[in-house]
Amino acid sequence: AEDDRILQKLYEHTFTSWGLPLQVRLVSSGIDGLLEIGREAPDLLITDLRMPGIDGFEMIRRLRADPQLQDLDIVVVSGLTDEDIAEQGGLPPDVILYSKPVPFRELKGYVQAKIMALQRRVRGA
C-alpha cells in the first residue's frame, strides 16, 4: 500500500527484476489495502504509513484486531521518524520497519526468507 505513483512503479519494476515467484497487488490507500486483503489475504503486506483516507497506522490496527489476520506479516516502509511514529501510537512489535528510501536489498532478503518458509511449510503439509 503506497500512495506515491512513482514509488508504486519502482516497487513493481524492482519486484519483477528479482525473478522471484511473486504475485504483487499494488494499492494507493489503506482503504484499498483493507479491501484487497478482505478479498484474498496476502502472505506479506508492505505499506507506507502516511496515505489518504485510512492511513497505514489505522490499517495495521484493523488488521491486528482481526483474529484471522493477526499473523499476517507486515513490513512498513516510511519516511516518518521514530518520534512521529510514537506520536501516532507506535507500531505492533512484530511489524518490521524500514526507513525511506526503500531499502530494496534488505527487503529482497526478507521476501526471499518468507518465500523459503512458505515453501517449507507446503512441503511439510
Side-chain angles (χ1 to χ4, degrees):
E2 171 62 62
D3 64 319
D4 184 318
R5 296 285 182 200
I6 294 171
L7 277 177
Q8 284 184 351
K9 294 287 186 194
L10 183 59
Y11 274 117
E12 188 173 40
H13 173 76
T14 303
F15 291 164
T16 300
S17 75
W18 290 348
L20 297 173
L22 300 175
Q23 261 188 350
V24 177
R25 290 180 285 166
L26 297 168
V27 297
S28 58
S29 73
I31 293 170
D32 292 337
L34 289 172
L35 289 171
E36 280 295 317
I37 291 167
R39 288 183 193 106
E40 181 180 352
D43 296 310
L44 172 65
L45 169 66
I46 301 172
T47 186
D48 192 3
L49 292 173
R50 294 278 184 203
M51 296 178 287
I54 293 178
D55 64 15
F57 291 104
E58 184 62 21
M59 180 175 59
I60 291 169
R61 281 192 280 277
R62 290 180 186 216
L63 291 170
R64 286 298 182 247
D66 184 329
Q68 294 180 336
L69 297 170
Q70 287 180 346
D71 294 331
L72 173 63
D73 288 335
I74 300 174
V75 171
V76 167
V77 181
S78 178
L80 296 177
T81 65
D82 291 339
E83 294 79 23
D84 293 333
I85 292 170
E87 286 176 11
Q88 295 294 319
L91 295 170
D94 63 328
V95 171
I96 305 297
L97 174 63
Y98 293 122
S99 295
K100 286 184 178 179
V102 182
F104 282 111
R105 179 177 289 168
E106 292 177 48
L107 195 53
K108 182 179 181 184
Y110 185 88
V111 169
Q112 286 174 314
K114 178 73 178 162
I115 290 170
M116 289 174 58
L118 287 170
Q119 289 172 341
R120 278 194 298 268
R121 191 177 316 144
V122 168
R123 282 193 295 251

